Amino acid sequence: MELSVVVSTLNDRERLLSCLDALAERTPSSTEVIVVNGPSSDGTTGVVRERDDVEVLVEISERNPSVSRNAGLELATGDVVAFLDGEYAIDHSWYGAIEEAITDETAVVTGPVTGGPVTADLQSPRRVAGQTVTLFHGDNVAFERSVLESLDGFDEYIEEESERDCAHRVAGLGHEVSWTATMAARCEVGTDGGRADPDWGATYRSLSYRLAKNYGLRPTVLARTAGSALRDALSGVCRLASGEATPTGWVSDGTDVIANVTHGLWDGVRARYADRSSRRNPNGLSTRHDRAVRVYDRR
């Protein structure tokens, strides 16, 4: 197995160094490591360029995980490409888990992360518009290169949870996703205030866009979008009651959600007709080649 690991980072130098140390220690020396940085302002470029275990450093100017992943994928040469966030340190069993899954002819393999934000149950497939979809963690996943090529990478329209859109498209192409506990990574959250509040506008634009793009404006799509919004609205009411949120903030979030759902549904329908192929990706890897501001390639 020829493995390329695309590591995305943004202003997280210390945890990135831990991530790279773990990769150097727990994967073979033949592993190709590509760091996609940006736009960071904490000296990440300098410390990465000083290391001899990073083959490529890519500087980008957009704060979009899809752009970051595609920028790394564009330069990766391995027949298996893994995506890892720079705040994650892999366990000793991580590489072996990928190798075993690929040997068993698994197209996509993912595993758990610990110490990060709470995510949905990724092990249980779900039915969406008659299609079985298995989600995966976008910051700890490996693909056969041929699968990524058939998907044309990630959809760069999506700023939040683009891996979910990718999971729908993987299912649409008939590929299976394998979840294995041994492909584990850990995220050690710092003591500087934790994580920012969610961007509800970006979250719901992503949700409505990916559903409309992959399935069209069928009742199931509208029901899923509305149901998710109602659940989050009720959660907001609970935060109001406990004093964790203000009425002004709750109304502002609701207005933002409605506006972005409308935009997302419209743009999703347009994207569906812009790319009528099974890959459903009009904003993918092949659509542009100007993601990198600068590339440091020592290969």
Side-chain angles (χ1 to χ4, degrees):
M1 179 178 72
E2 296 180 1
L3 177 66
S4 296
V5 184
V6 176
V7 180
S8 298
T9 186
L10 175 62
N11 288 327
D12 201 7
R13 183 179 63 180
E14 297 307 317
R15 283 184 288 192
L16 171 65
L17 294 178
S18 296
C19 171
L20 296 177
D21 288 343
L23 283 170
E25 176 188 349
R26 299 165 186 174
T27 64
S29 59
S30 59
T31 300
E32 180 180 66
V33 178
I34 299 172
V35 174
V36 184
N37 174 43
S40 293
S41 57
D42 63 349
T44 294
T45 299
V47 296
V48 172
R49 291 192 66 190
E50 290 175 357
R51 299 181 66 102
D52 58 7
D53 54 358
V54 175
E55 279 69 31
V56 185
L57 170 63
V58 186
E59 302 281 351
I60 62 174
S61 61
E62 299 173 61
R63 298 191 176 198
N64 183 326
S66 298
V67 174
S68 178
R69 292 166 184 156
N70 281 348
L73 172 59
E74 193 170 20
L75 293 167
T77 63
D79 55 15
V80 177
V81 182
F83 296 93
L84 189 68
D85 191 275
E87 65 181 355
Y88 289 70
I90 62 169
D91 285 354
H92 287 85
S93 57
W94 186 84
Y95 180 89
I98 296 175
E99 187 173 44
E100 181 179 357
I102 296 300
T103 301
D104 291 340
E105 299 185 351
T106 297
V108 184
V109 59
T110 187
V113 297
T114 57
V118 177
T119 59
D121 179 12
L122 303 184
Q123 300 182 53
S124 302
R126 59 201 65 196
R127 296 285 291 179
V128 181
Q131 178 171 271
T132 301
V133 179
T134 302
L135 300 179
F136 51 81
H137 202 298
D139 293 327
N140 184 28
V141 62
F143 296 79
E144 282 191 347
R145 186 182 192 88
S146 60
V147 175
L148 287 168
E149 290 173 349
S150 66
L151 294 168
D152 198 24
F154 293 83
D155 189 328
E156 296 182 7
Y157 172 94
I158 303 174
E159 297 180 4
E160 296 282 342
E161 299 181 333
S162 64
E163 64 272 12
R164 294 196 172 212
D165 168 71
C166 188
H168 288 282
R169 296 189 293 115
V170 165
L173 291 172
H175 300 298
E176 293 187 1
V177 177
S178 173
W179 191 96
T180 174
T182 53
M183 186 182 165
R186 64 183 183 275
C187 174
E188 299 176 354
V189 180
T191 59
D192 56 354
R195 297 176 182 274
D197 292 334
D199 183 341
W200 293 114
T203 296
Y204 274 92
R205 181 175 288 218
S206 167
L207 171 65
S208 56
Y209 171 84
R210 66 176 180 261
L211 290 176
K213 182 186 71 167
N214 287 294
Y215 305 105
L217 287 181
R218 60 180 69 194
T220 304
V221 167
L222 300 177
R224 278 183 168 270
T225 305
S228 180
L230 287 173
R231 286 191 296 272
D232 284 329
L234 290 174
S235 176
V237 170
C238 294
R239 292 196 301 272
L240 277 175
S242 65
E244 297 177 7
T246 64
T248 302
W250 184 80
V251 171
S252 176
D253 285 342
T255 302
D256 203 20
V257 166
I258 293 171
N260 278 277
V261 164
T262 302
H263 284 295
L265 290 172
W266 172 249
D267 290 342
V269 170
R270 292 177 60 193
R272 183 173 179 83
Y273 286 97
D275 184 353
R276 302 191 185 192
S277 69
S278 56
R279 71 186 185 184
R280 298 288 182 196
N281 193 3
N283 308 290
L285 178 66
S286 64
T287 60
R288 54 181 292 207
H289 299 283
D290 61 347
R291 299 174 187 87
V293 174
R294 191 162 186 179
V295 177
Y296 302 94
D297 193 336
R298 64 174 68 201
R299 292 173 298 187

